[in-house]
Amino acid sequence: MILIKKKRVRMYKTKTFYSLIIFILIGFSPSLLFAQEEKSDCVLNLEQAQSKYNQGRIQDVESLIGDCLKEKGFDKAAQTQALKLLTLSYLFLEEPEKAEKTMLQLLSHNHLFTVNTAIDPSEFINLYNKFRHEPLYSIGILGGLVTSNPIVTKLNSTQDLNNSNKQQYAPLLGFRIAVNAEYKLKDNIYAVAGLGFTSIKFQKTHTPTNPISNISIDGNGFDGIELQTSVELPLLIQYHIMQTNKLTPYVALGVAPQLLLNASYPGETIKNTVGGSAPATTQTINLTQDRNSFNLYGVIAGGLKVRINEGFFNVQLRYSYGIFNSTKEESTLNPSNPNLLWDLSESSDVFRLQDLSIAIGYTFDFYKPKKLR
Amino acid sequence: MRIAFLYLYIFAIISGCSLDNLEPSQTNTFLKFYSETNEMESKDLIVLNDGFLVLSTYSESSSLLMKTDLLGNKLWAQSINDFLGSSLVEIADGYILIGDGINSDDDSTYMQLIKTDFDGGINTTIQVGYGAQHGSAIMLSSTNEIIALGYTSTGQLNDSNDSTYVIINGYDTNLTKTWDEIRQYPVFGVDIIPSKSLYESNNGKLNWISYSSQDEIITNTDLTAISPDAAPVGNLPLFDQNSAANFEGDLVKTSVGFAMVQTVAENGFKIGIATSINGVVMDEFVIPLEFNSIVSSITNTSNGLLIAATSDNHEERERSDWNLLLLEVDINGQAKTNGINVSYGGDGDEIPVRIRNAKDGGYVVLGTSVNTKGAKQTFILKTNKNGLLE
């Protein structure tokens, strides 16, 4: 009895489900069919228009596809084909103003439209070339890893370096993220400006030797990781070595003014050991006042752009060289935090900074087609 | 991750300009630390024509004699075992050190004089006294005589006084005794220890100051002036017998006499300064600083005196560490309005031991730095004429 009841309930549910599906299909099918029919009409009209154009009955083209263009009855590819066909028609009907108008519509509709010099009529190509069809500017974002290493110009120490090991530096990984804008100056040459944020770090170690024994004990001495964060405004000239539809390798040269936001030895990364004693450590030592707040970097970069839709994927390798010293010379013996000198026995070297970064990103092209004068 | 490390490695290679080819920068003002061990105790420094000679101890029984150039770079260093040096002097053919010799058999001490050549090689070592003697100061007199100043605490005096008292003796520069016997110089009922400086006055008398080792009592500091190889002729208590116990003071010869500094127990620790002419105290007072100061050494400036002390003067009052203080006063010991007044140091303790005049008009301070983990290093601070690092 119970089994029969359950079976009836299941049959009822199945029936209800199928009824719902049928209702939905019946309810929506007229509009779907109507839409397909309308779209098909425009596509048919476009095919007819193309046929008329090919037969030389150019005056019939506009009447066939004009309404569909106004009513946006084409998909993107058909719209491009229709506008091109209309432009060609106007050109051969010697209606240049209308031709220019539809060319502008064409370039506004499809930013990536290009002429086919092998088959397109020269009039059409000439008209195309009268318009700005390349991006007005491009804006992108780049981010990646950066390693930095000081170029020491003055070797300082609270230790006797004439009779001792010298300090050593090792690059560590940081990061850089930037927003860049590109503007075409002339063929293959672009101006690139940006705003970037950089965080670099490098490690300094120094194991001095003892005066009598001239022995350096493992683990003795200073060990600190300097961290610097800054913002920069790179200004580069970018040259496209070659340009295909897909790939554009490039090189760039320029400068990057940089404003230091913060420099420090984070507390947990700094220590000094004397004669095998427990290492002396301190809280974070702020070095911002001991470093020059402004610097100018010479920049050389190279990369590859890969066209994707209306933009490009960008991979870039960049080398930056600090033109001015990062260290304030007057701070080497008078650091803003005296613990650096007296408790950690650390007198900063005078150095410039260099860095190498690898970054990836995506750049959006912004088009504004117009007739060139 | 591998790519990142490879990338780092490549950059380290291409950017790793070797520092081995870069000469260390050399500046006329500097701070240099020297640590053979983490138990360094600075003792004395003298200024030579071509550098500095530094005496430190680096263990309970060993001393370090080190010569540096004028920029603080080590020229040579000599370890002297079973000897705790106190002071040193330059002579025509080398250097003479004074300190405590240590008998390694029973750890007993005795005053010891060591003569070295100009490279620190030991030529002569002599033991002074009868045992339990300590060497404190040494000088070369105008008659080319070595005067050794120390103290003993074994009650060897003829009058059976068992207090700690000063002993003094004379030698030629080969450390052959020139006086008939060691002079003994007690202050009845008080233990006195001579400080690290010994000078000859213009009238041929020897001058030093002493401090007391007795704790928890009011102690005195004495200006003592005696004629060489003669009985002591002066013993003048300073600072109203209010000197702080166990703190060693210093004196320096001035254009008119002597200036003396001593830590005074007055609302904590303060700098006491006194001047004397011909063994007569002309003036003495306590410099009214708002913070504690323990004075170590004094030297002359172009128109005044420069005191090296350690003080707890911090903007952050909760800190309790001691920083090096350089404070200039006029020739009468009064604070100078525009004189040198500068502190050096971090969270550890910076304790000066000796301040000297450098050849270029600046100052050289020898001291001991104790970091926050208790490790001790010898330091040399060389400043310009304004007491500053530049």
Side-chain angles (χ1 to χ4, degrees), chain B residues 359-370:
Chain B
K359 299 285 185 188
D360 64 354
Y363 303 97
V364 189
V365 181
L366 174 75
T368 303
S369 171
V370 188

PDB file of all heavy atoms in Angstrom, chain B residues 359-370:
ATOM      1  N   LYS B 359      96.420  65.303  17.457  1.00  0.00           N
ATOM      2  CA  LYS B 359      97.400  66.198  16.837  1.00  0.00           C
ATOM      3  C   LYS B 359      96.747  67.252  15.944  1.00  0.00           C
ATOM      4  O   LYS B 359      97.309  68.303  15.697  1.00  0.00           O
ATOM      5  CB  LYS B 359      98.386  65.373  15.990  1.00  0.00           C
ATOM      6  CG  LYS B 359      99.188  64.340  16.769  1.00  0.00           C
ATOM      7  CD  LYS B 359     100.274  64.982  17.585  1.00  0.00           C
ATOM      8  CE  LYS B 359     101.135  63.912  18.260  1.00  0.00           C
ATOM      9  NZ  LYS B 359     102.105  64.485  19.213  1.00  0.00           N
ATOM     10  N   ASP B 360      95.558  66.942  15.435  1.00  0.00           N
ATOM     11  CA  ASP B 360      94.918  67.864  14.491  1.00  0.00           C
ATOM     12  C   ASP B 360      93.966  68.842  15.170  1.00  0.00           C
ATOM     13  O   ASP B 360      93.203  69.534  14.505  1.00  0.00           O
ATOM     14  CB  ASP B 360      94.169  67.067  13.410  1.00  0.00           C
ATOM     15  CG  ASP B 360      93.015  66.255  13.989  1.00  0.00           C
ATOM     16  OD1 ASP B 360      92.867  66.219  15.233  1.00  0.00           O
ATOM     17  OD2 ASP B 360      92.262  65.657  13.199  1.00  0.00           O
ATOM     18  N   GLY B 361      94.005  68.927  16.485  1.00  0.00           N
ATOM     19  CA  GLY B 361      93.124  69.849  17.191  1.00  0.00           C
ATOM     20  C   GLY B 361      91.838  69.199  17.665  1.00  0.00           C
ATOM     21  O   GLY B 361      91.080  69.800  18.425  1.00  0.00           O
ATOM     22  N   GLY B 362      91.582  67.984  17.225  1.00  0.00           N
ATOM     23  CA  GLY B 362      90.395  67.275  17.695  1.00  0.00           C
ATOM     24  C   GLY B 362      90.673  66.542  18.991  1.00  0.00           C
ATOM     25  O   GLY B 362      91.672  66.814  19.682  1.00  0.00           O
ATOM     26  N   TYR B 363      89.790  65.613  19.314  1.00  0.00           N
ATOM     27  CA  TYR B 363      89.923  64.885  20.573  1.00  0.00           C
ATOM     28  C   TYR B 363      89.784  63.378  20.312  1.00  0.00           C
ATOM     29  O   TYR B 363      89.077  62.958  19.383  1.00  0.00           O
ATOM     30  CB  TYR B 363      88.856  65.341  21.567  1.00  0.00           C
ATOM     31  CG  TYR B 363      88.928  66.834  21.811  1.00  0.00           C
ATOM     32  CD1 TYR B 363      88.090  67.718  21.122  1.00  0.00           C
ATOM     33  CD2 TYR B 363      89.879  67.369  22.682  1.00  0.00           C
ATOM     34  CE1 TYR B 363      88.195  69.082  21.296  1.00  0.00           C
ATOM     35  CE2 TYR B 363      89.983  68.742  22.868  1.00  0.00           C
ATOM     36  CZ  TYR B 363      89.144  69.595  22.176  1.00  0.00           C
ATOM     37  OH  TYR B 363      89.266  70.938  22.347  1.00  0.00           O
ATOM     38  N   VAL B 364      90.466  62.632  21.127  1.00  0.00           N
ATOM     39  CA  VAL B 364      90.391  61.175  21.036  1.00  0.00           C
ATOM     40  C   VAL B 364      89.860  60.661  22.367  1.00  0.00           C
ATOM     41  O   VAL B 364      90.403  61.000  23.422  1.00  0.00           O
ATOM     42  CB  VAL B 364      91.767  60.546  20.778  1.00  0.00           C
ATOM     43  CG1 VAL B 364      91.611  59.058  20.467  1.00  0.00           C
ATOM     44  CG2 VAL B 364      92.480  61.249  19.664  1.00  0.00           C
ATOM     45  N   VAL B 365      88.793  59.876  22.298  1.00  0.00           N
ATOM     46  CA  VAL B 365      88.226  59.291  23.511  1.00  0.00           C
ATOM     47  C   VAL B 365      88.372  57.778  23.412  1.00  0.00           C
ATOM     48  O   VAL B 365      87.953  57.169  22.431  1.00  0.00           O
ATOM     49  CB  VAL B 365      86.733  59.643  23.669  1.00  0.00           C
ATOM     50  CG1 VAL B 365      86.187  59.040  24.971  1.00  0.00           C
ATOM     51  CG2 VAL B 365      86.524  61.149  23.655  1.00  0.00           C
ATOM     52  N   LEU B 366      89.003  57.207  24.410  1.00  0.00           N
ATOM     53  CA  LEU B 366      89.052  55.751  24.530  1.00  0.00           C
ATOM     54  C   LEU B 366      87.987  55.345  25.539  1.00  0.00           C
ATOM     55  O   LEU B 366      87.845  55.975  26.595  1.00  0.00           O
ATOM     56  CB  LEU B 366      90.420  55.290  25.025  1.00  0.00           C
ATOM     57  CG  LEU B 366      90.533  53.787  25.315  1.00  0.00           C
ATOM     58  CD1 LEU B 366      90.622  52.990  24.030  1.00  0.00           C
ATOM     59  CD2 LEU B 366      91.731  53.492  26.208  1.00  0.00           C
ATOM     60  N   GLY B 367      87.243  54.311  25.220  1.00  0.00           N
ATOM     61  CA  GLY B 367      86.209  53.892  26.159  1.00  0.00           C
ATOM     62  C   GLY B 367      85.823  52.447  25.969  1.00  0.00           C
ATOM     63  O   GLY B 367      86.360  51.733  25.112  1.00  0.00           O
ATOM     64  N   THR B 368      84.911  52.036  26.788  1.00  0.00           N
ATOM     65  CA  THR B 368      84.354  50.691  26.706  1.00  0.00           C
ATOM     66  C   THR B 368      82.871  50.801  26.379  1.00  0.00           C
ATOM     67  O   THR B 368      82.146  51.555  27.030  1.00  0.00           O
ATOM     68  CB  THR B 368      84.527  49.936  28.038  1.00  0.00           C
ATOM     69  OG1 THR B 368      85.912  49.900  28.374  1.00  0.00           O
ATOM     70  CG2 THR B 368      83.986  48.521  27.933  1.00  0.00           C
ATOM     71  N   SER B 369      82.462  50.072  25.351  1.00  0.00           N
ATOM     72  CA  SER B 369      81.054  50.034  24.979  1.00  0.00           C
ATOM     73  C   SER B 369      80.466  48.700  25.438  1.00  0.00           C
ATOM     74  O   SER B 369      81.035  47.646  25.173  1.00  0.00           O
ATOM     75  CB  SER B 369      80.906  50.182  23.458  1.00  0.00           C
ATOM     76  OG  SER B 369      79.575  49.936  23.070  1.00  0.00           O
ATOM     77  N   VAL B 370      79.361  48.779  26.130  1.00  0.00           N
ATOM     78  CA  VAL B 370      78.696  47.562  26.604  1.00  0.00           C
ATOM     79  C   VAL B 370      77.344  47.497  25.910  1.00  0.00           C
ATOM     80  O   VAL B 370      76.483  48.360  26.128  1.00  0.00           O
ATOM     81  CB  VAL B 370      78.492  47.587  28.134  1.00  0.00           C
ATOM     82  CG1 VAL B 370      77.976  46.235  28.617  1.00  0.00           C
ATOM     83  CG2 VAL B 370      79.778  47.963  28.846  1.00  0.00           C
TER      84      VAL B 370
END
